């Protein structure tokens, strides 16, 4: 109300309003340029497109809590789950690109681009860096007749996934094509549900990242037949990669990184990229991530973006072959 | 199961504190019309994120148990139930209060609630590990059958018109398909609105139909001149009273626990059934409705018995059987805990069994606090509406908003508030709608999954033994319900045909 009376008074006195407005806009401009230099001055919000308590949620909250130290301001996590992440990413893409809105990016952003007509594309974001990568492993029960990857030739399996067209559906579908067999897929409600059904004998196989099923491999309930990673994974030196066994599968892996709405100010972007890089090397963070069973892996913003751009045609081709996407 | 480890997890200062806080909070919200246990828990879920999972569950189950006792206090003294489950207590509780025996009724309600609560937790403790080990082999086919049993229960023992309950359940199921396809993650029935992709989030809708609807209803009711009972008198139950009500209390506890275990049962159903049962079995059926102490004790034992029973399907299958446990499921998921058959293996000794022990303690705490606080609590419901209604409306919006912070959820709460108001006005069971909303997605995804796993063969739901057994139980419940209506009608016809 106050500003309004000012303006109506100004109309009576002639040009006072013009002066006021000009002064105001100058101040705002000054504040803007100052913002970019002093950035960050307030707290950031980090959008997490998954439900609270899940693997992605916990991993990104952990990363954010250490990123705070390197940015010098607090970061507030905000969960916006729904539609396999599309809802959260859609709202992040439309958020203000003032540097105070960042969000978690996972592999699903690439799948959604192909599958979901309403999903945003990675061009809608400023890609700031990757902080985690998890290899995918092929699990069967220990009482399964399949003891090695070679046994899968000529097999007919019912495989669980955590959603049609998701990464754990794409990976086995790739292998299926290489083996020239016919497998069937049933989507479950996330990994925990899939794991229960695999252990309970309702499905034959599931492709997980190792932290999900580690305790059941240790207890001897589950067996790993191979990994989709490019090279053998440190924790499981005896598990062969499908590539070394002669199957031509693209090395897809689950990843987590940080992005902001496209069009960040250059200085702001540099500040964020630096802080993310510093956090990814931070001993304290690495130790905490190790403790939580995460697998830290850093790529700079440019490398991360290039990596995702290389993956895009692969994923599109896969989903088209699977009959889930149109050319 | 190591008893010592369980007890050492419960008997820590922090655990005991959360048990007390939960029981106390439950007793307080139980007397406030519009603040049901469901809504209170929904409001607190986002705040439990930083708590230890055990502490969070101890507090929430404490609220559940506490509110099932105290909802009777205002039924007795003001003829206004603190929440729907306490409505049956009015029939005999209020006449007792008019005779100047409000304290006697409140004391018996506390005693009956404690017996029902303790009994149901013992059943939960004994029964759920067995069920969990069977459920390890459950496939989507069996989960679908459990969902069907839940819907049937809601319709069969709704206590009112079956057709209306069926309508309400179906409406809930239909609303459940709006949003995102659970298997493909693609939008459906969103009419191009991106916000509708969220569908109708359960929490916002539940808060709407239970709390907002009550605000709208109370705002439209002219201040009724109820004779307020101010003299409560002695609340400690006497021995002769306890002896006389022992049988109805035990029967009510068993009935309530069974209704709780059946997915789809709820506090209102449990107390209606127990009241009818107590009247049929009583030596003095003519006293019922005029101030029978049995008519107060039986339903109170039953709706407290329901609390432990309802935890059985939640913990062993991850299927919530009513609105309150559906909200608790959200609280567990926030903590990264997935209730289901593997929960007993993975967190038996650090969560499940300590929780059971804590629930026993919560019932003890509830009786002590409930009796001590009966008098001040009776006046809580006398808060002027100009204070009460805005406060509940504000809390409702906060609860809906706080989970994800989208304004869209406020609209859902408001719209469902109006829907809930109209349902109560035209006598449709709101609990049945809530159940349709809860079970809809579970039914749909498991039906489709069950078919995908079995080459699209629909007979598999009848050829798998466990699934066939559960579906058989559903049919049996429905048949029983139809039969009892038919018998009641025939009796009425016979009585009216006797020439006067």
């Amino acid at each position: 109300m106050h500003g309004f009376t000012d303006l109506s008074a100004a109309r009576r006195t002639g040009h006072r309003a013009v002066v006021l407005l000009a002064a105001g806009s100058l101040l705002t401009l000054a504040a803007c340029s100052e913002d970019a230099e002093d950035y960050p001055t307030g707290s950031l919000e980090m959008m997490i497109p998954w439900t609270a308590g899940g693997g992605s949620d916990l991993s990104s909250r952990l990363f954010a809590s250490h990123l705070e130290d390197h940015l010098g301001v607090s970061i507030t996590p905000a969960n916006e789950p729904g539609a396999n992440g599309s809802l959260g990413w859609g709202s992040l893409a439309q958020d203000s690109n003032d540097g105070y809105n960042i969000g978690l990016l996972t592999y699903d952003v690439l799948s959604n681009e192909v599958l979901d007509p309403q999903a945003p594309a990675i061009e809608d974001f400023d890609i700031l860096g990757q902080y985690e990568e998890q290899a995918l492993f092929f699990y069967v029960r220990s009482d399964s007749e399949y003891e090695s990857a070679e046994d899968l030739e000529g097999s007919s399996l019912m495989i669980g996934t955590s959603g049609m067209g998701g990464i754990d559906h794409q990976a086995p579908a790739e292998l299926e094509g290489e083996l020239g067999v016919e497998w069937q897929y049933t989507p479950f409600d996330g990994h925990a549900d899939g794991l229960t059904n695999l252990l309970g004998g309702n499905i034959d196989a599931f492709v997980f990242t190792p932290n999900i099923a580690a305790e059941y491999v240790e207890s001897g309930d589950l067996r790993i037949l191979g990994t989709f990673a490019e090279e053998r994974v440190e924790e499981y030196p005896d598990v062969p990669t499908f590539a070394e066994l002669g199957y031509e599968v693209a090395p897809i892996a689950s990843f987590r990184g940080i992005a902001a709405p496209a069009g960040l100010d250059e200085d702001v972007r540099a500040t964020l990229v630096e802080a993310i890089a510093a956090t990814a090397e931070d001993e304290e963070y690495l130790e905490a991530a190790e403790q939580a069973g995460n697998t830290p892996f850093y790529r700079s913003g440019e490398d991360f973006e290039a990596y995702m751009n290389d993956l895009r045609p692969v994923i599109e081709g896969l989903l088209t072959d699977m009959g889930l996407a149109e050319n | 199961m190591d008893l010592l480890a369980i007890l050492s997890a419960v008997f820590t200062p922090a655990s005991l504190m959360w048990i007390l806080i939960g029981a106390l909070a439950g007793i307080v919200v139980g007397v406030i019309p519009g603040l049901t246990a469901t809504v209170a828990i929904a409001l607190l879920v986002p705040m439990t994120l930083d708590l230890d999972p055990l502490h969070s569950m101890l507090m929430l189950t404490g609220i559940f148990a506490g509110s099932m006792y105290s909802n009777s206090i205002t039924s007795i003294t003001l003829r206004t139930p603190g929440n729907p489950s306490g409505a049956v207590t009015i029939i005999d509780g209020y006449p007792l209060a008019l005779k100047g025996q409000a304290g006697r009724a409140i004391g018996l309600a506390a005693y009956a609630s404690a017996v029902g609560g303790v009994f149901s937790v013992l059943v939960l403790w004994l029964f759920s590990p067995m069920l969990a080990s069977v459920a390890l082999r459950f496939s989507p086919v069996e989960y679908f059958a459990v969902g069907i049993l839940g819907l049937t229960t809601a319709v069969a023992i709704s206590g009112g018109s079956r057709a209306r309950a069926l309508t309400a359940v179906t409406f809930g199921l239909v609303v459940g398909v709006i949003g995102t396809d659970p298997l493909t993650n693609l939008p459906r029935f969103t009419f191009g609105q991106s916000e509708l992709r969220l569908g109708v989030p359960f929490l916002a809708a539940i808060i709407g139909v239970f709390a907002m609807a009550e605000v709208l209803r109370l705002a439209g009711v002219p201040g009724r001149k109820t004779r307020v009972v101010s003299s409560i008198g002695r609340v400690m139950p006497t021995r002769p009273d306890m002896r006389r009500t022992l049988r109805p209390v035990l029967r009510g506890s068993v009935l309530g626990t069974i209704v709780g275990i059946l997915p789809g049962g709820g506090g209102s159903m449990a107390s209606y059934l127990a009241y009818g049962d107590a009247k049929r079995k009583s030596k003095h059926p003519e006293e019922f409705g005029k101030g029978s102490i049995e008519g107060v004790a039986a339903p109170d034992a039953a709706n407290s018995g329901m609390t432990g029973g309802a935890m059985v399907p939640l913990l062993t299958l991850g299927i919530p059987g009513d609105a309150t446990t559906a909200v608790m499921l959200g609280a567990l998921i926030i903590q990264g805990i997935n209730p289901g058959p593997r929960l007993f293996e993975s967190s038996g000794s650090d969560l499940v069994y300590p929780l059971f022990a804590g629930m026993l303690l919560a019932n003890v705490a509830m009786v002590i606090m409930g009796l001590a606080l009966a008098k001040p609590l009776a006046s809580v419901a006398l808060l002027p509406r100009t204070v009460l209604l805005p406060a509940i409306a504000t809390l409702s919006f906060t609860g809906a908003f706080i989970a994800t912070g989208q304004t869209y959820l406020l609209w859902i709460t408001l719209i469902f508030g109006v829907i809930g108001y109209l349902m109560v006005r035209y006598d449709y069971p709101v609990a049945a709608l809530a159940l349709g909303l809860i079970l809809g997605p579970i039914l749909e995804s498991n039906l489709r999954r069950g078919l995908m796993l079995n080459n699209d063969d629909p007979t598999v739901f009848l050829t798998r033994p466990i699934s066939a057994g559960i579906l058989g139980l559903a049919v049996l419940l429905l048949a029983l319900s139809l039969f009892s209506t038919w018998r009641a009608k025939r009796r009425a016809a016979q009585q009216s045909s006797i020439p006067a």
Side-chain angles (χ1 to χ4, degrees):
Chain A
M1 282 313 285
H2 195 75
F4 186 77
T5 48
D6 258 4
L7 281 180
S8 53
R11 269 197 208 97
R12 267 179 287 130
T13 54
H15 52 259
R16 209 164 112 205
V18 183
V19 175
L20 265 177
L21 283 172
S25 45
L26 268 176
L27 273 172
T28 325
L29 278 172
C32 276
S33 58
E34 217 176 5
D35 258 3
E37 260 170 57
D38 294 351
Y39 172 87
T41 51
S43 69
L44 273 65
E45 184 170 285
M46 181 159 97
M47 188 285 304
I48 302 168
W50 307 105
T51 42
S56 286
D57 175 68
L58 296 173
S59 125
S60 55
R61 278 173 192 260
L62 178 70
F63 187 78
S65 71
H66 290 269
L67 182 58
E68 281 180 339
D69 304 342
H70 294 275
L71 274 175
V73 292
S74 67
I75 299 175
T76 317
N79 298 82
E80 284 190 54
N84 202 35
S86 279
L87 292 183
W89 286 316
S91 79
L92 179 68
Q94 287 164 3
D95 266 337
S96 156
N97 55 8
D98 57 3
Y100 291 95
N101 295 300
I102 56 172
L104 165 72
L105 222 51
T106 63
Y107 185 95
D108 308 80
V109 78
L110 297 171
S111 311
N112 290 356
E113 256 183 48
V114 181
L115 293 170
D116 186 341
Q118 295 168 351
I122 52 177
E123 282 74 23
D124 296 326
F125 302 108
D126 245 323
I127 313 291
L128 303 171
Q130 179 186 336
Y131 68 91
E132 233 175 66
E133 184 151 294
Q134 291 174 300
L136 297 168
F137 287 72
F138 193 99
Y139 293 86
V140 291
R141 260 185 325 285
S142 305
D143 61 1
S144 156
E145 57 184 289
Y146 308 106
E147 308 218 345
S148 68
E150 289 87 347
D151 290 351
L152 292 172
E153 314 245 356
S155 62
S156 76
L157 298 177
M158 172 58 79
I159 300 185
T161 71
S162 53
M164 277 200 223
I167 189 167
D168 52 15
H169 188 182
Q170 290 169 23
E174 238 192 328
L175 189 61
E176 176 191 11
E178 270 295 294
L179 289 160
V181 288
E182 283 273 323
W183 287 343
Q184 288 177 300
Y185 301 91
T186 302
F188 286 87
D189 252 344
H191 294 131
D193 189 24
L195 188 56
T196 305
N197 278 278
L198 176 61
L199 292 164
N202 302 317
I203 46 180
D204 304 314
F206 209 114
V207 171
F208 292 117
T209 52
N211 54 340
I212 295 167
E215 60 175 299
Y216 293 94
V217 174
E218 219 164 293
S219 65
D221 289 306
L222 295 180
R223 181 187 307 135
I224 307 178
L225 297 189
T227 175
F228 292 86
E230 269 178 291
E231 285 159 19
R232 291 199 179 202
V233 176
E234 219 176 300
E235 288 84 7
Y236 296 101
D238 305 338
V239 174
T241 67
F242 289 117
E244 75 184 56
L245 295 171
Y247 303 110
E248 281 187 39
V249 290
I252 51 180
S254 166
F255 59 72
R256 296 184 179 125
I258 306 288
L264 288 182
D265 176 282
E266 248 171 75
D267 293 344
V268 169
R269 188 175 188 280
T271 308
L272 280 168
V273 167
E274 257 168 65
I276 290 168
T279 311
E281 289 173 0
D282 183 334
E283 281 304 322
E284 262 181 65
Y285 162 69
L286 291 171
E287 207 169 301
E290 206 80 26
Q291 278 274 308
N294 303 338
T295 37
F297 179 89
Y298 178 71
R299 273 195 184 95
S300 70
E302 285 79 15
D303 292 351
F304 185 28
E305 194 163 0
Y307 168 69
M308 285 201 283
N309 275 316
D310 290 345
L311 266 179
R312 271 168 129 173
V314 176
I315 293 175
E316 201 160 344
L318 264 174
L319 290 168
T320 311
D321 290 345
M322 287 156 72
L324 293 171
E326 287 157 30
N327 259 335
Chain B
M1 205 168 87
D2 176 7
L3 202 65
L4 202 66
I6 294 166
L7 292 178
S8 63
V10 176
F11 284 94
T12 63
S15 296
L16 293 173
M17 181 185 78
W18 288 113
I19 292 172
L20 288 176
I21 289 176
L24 184 63
I27 289 173
V28 173
V29 299
V31 294
I32 301 175
L35 264 190
T36 60
T38 314
V39 175
I41 292 173
L43 293 173
L44 287 170
V45 165
M47 302 171 201
T48 59
L49 183 60
D50 296 333
L51 285 185
D52 175 273
L54 174 64
H55 295 162
S56 136
M57 285 310 285
L58 283 172
M59 177 177 73
L60 299 181
T61 49
I63 292 177
F64 198 15
S67 70
M68 285 298 159
Y69 148 66
S70 69
N71 61 27
S72 321
I73 296 180
T74 46
S75 297
I76 292 164
T77 57
L78 298 169
R79 219 171 67 189
T80 309
N83 65 46
S85 308
V88 185
T89 313
I90 296 176
I91 309 174
D92 282 293
Y94 188 64
L96 274 171
L98 290 180
K99 292 179 194 168
Q101 299 175 5
R104 184 183 177 205
I106 291 173
L108 277 172
Y111 149 76
S113 293
V115 174
V118 168
F119 174 83
S120 72
V121 175
L122 292 176
V123 171
L124 168 71
W125 200 322
L126 289 171
F127 186 68
S128 56
M130 291 193 286
L131 186 59
S133 62
V134 174
L136 278 172
R137 315 285 310 171
F138 273 26
S139 79
V141 172
E142 282 74 31
Y143 275 95
F144 173 75
V146 172
I148 290 288
L149 176 64
L151 294 188
T152 320
T153 308
V155 174
I157 56 174
S158 58
S161 144
R162 270 185 304 266
R164 287 191 174 139
L166 189 60
T167 310
V169 162
T170 310
F171 177 64
L173 293 178
V174 169
V175 167
V177 302
I178 298 172
T180 302
D181 184 308
L183 272 64
T184 63
N185 286 317
L186 293 177
R188 58 179 192 187
F189 302 104
T190 58
F191 310 103
Q193 303 287 320
S194 70
E195 284 182 328
L196 274 180
R197 291 194 67 170
L198 270 178
V200 174
F202 163 79
L203 212 61
I206 287 295
I207 292 176
V209 293
F210 285 112
M212 278 312 275
E214 187 71 0
V215 169
L216 295 172
R217 190 183 70 80
L218 289 172
V221 177
R224 202 179 41 198
K225 286 277 176 284
T226 307
R227 261 183 60 197
V228 176
V229 178
S230 49
S231 68
I232 287 186
R234 175 199 154 110
V235 289
M236 272 310 280
T238 61
R239 278 210 181 163
D241 274 359
M242 293 211 284
R243 253 202 305 277
R244 195 181 138 181
T245 53
L246 184 63
R247 187 174 271 272
V249 163
L250 289 178
R251 291 183 64 91
S253 304
V254 175
L255 258 173
T257 306
I258 293 172
V259 170
I261 291 174
L262 284 174
S268 304
M269 294 176 206
S271 43
Y272 272 111
L273 283 175
Y275 185 83
D277 172 74
K279 193 172 170 177
R280 269 196 303 278
K281 296 277 174 217
S282 170
K283 290 187 186 116
H284 313 278
E286 72 287 350
E287 285 178 19
F288 277 69
K290 302 186 185 75
S292 160
I293 53 172
E294 296 162 45
V296 171
D300 264 282
N303 69 27
S304 292
M306 184 276 300
T307 56
M311 298 299 285
V312 174
L314 173 71
L315 295 173
T316 56
L317 303 174
I319 291 189
D322 71 336
T324 316
T325 43
V327 180
M328 279 190 201
L329 177 66
L332 281 165
I333 289 173
I334 269 193
Q335 301 269 9
I337 291 167
N338 286 287
R342 281 192 299 121
L343 184 70
F344 287 73
E345 289 173 19
S346 61
S347 17
S349 55
D350 56 11
L351 176 70
V352 180
Y353 298 114
L355 175 64
F356 295 167
M359 286 170 78
L360 288 176
L361 288 178
N363 276 295
V364 176
M366 176 193 85
V367 175
I368 297 168
M369 288 195 279
L371 290 174
L373 299 171
K375 288 171 190 175
L377 282 169
S379 55
V380 169
L382 289 175
L383 280 175
R385 284 194 193 159
T386 45
V387 175
L388 194 64
L389 301 190
I392 293 176
T394 310
L395 282 176
S396 304
F397 280 138
T398 315
F401 188 70
I402 210 164
T404 57
Q406 279 147 320
T407 39
Y408 161 75
L409 298 173
L410 303 181
W411 286 108
I412 294 285
T413 301
L414 195 58
I415 291 165
F416 275 79
V418 173
I419 291 172
Y421 166 76
L422 292 172
M423 285 177 76
V424 173
R425 169 94 194 271
Y426 295 105
D427 203 22
Y428 283 82
V430 174
L433 164 68
L435 215 74
L437 285 171
I438 297 163
L439 293 178
I442 295 176
L443 278 164
E444 185 206 351
S445 50
N446 284 304
L447 172 64
R448 288 165 68 186
R449 251 178 237 142
L451 290 170
M452 284 171 115
L453 289 172
N454 297 291
N455 301 322
D456 293 345
D457 174 15
T459 59
V460 72
F461 293 94
L462 299 171
T463 51
R464 286 182 66 120
I466 295 179
S467 162
I470 296 169
L471 289 173
L473 184 61
V475 172
L476 186 73
L477 265 177
L478 205 55
L480 273 175
S481 158
L482 288 167
F483 174 74
S484 71
T485 316
W486 174 78
R487 206 175 48 181
K489 269 192 183 150
R490 212 183 60 166
R491 268 201 206 136
Q494 278 171 343
Q495 277 171 355
S496 62
S497 63
I498 298 166

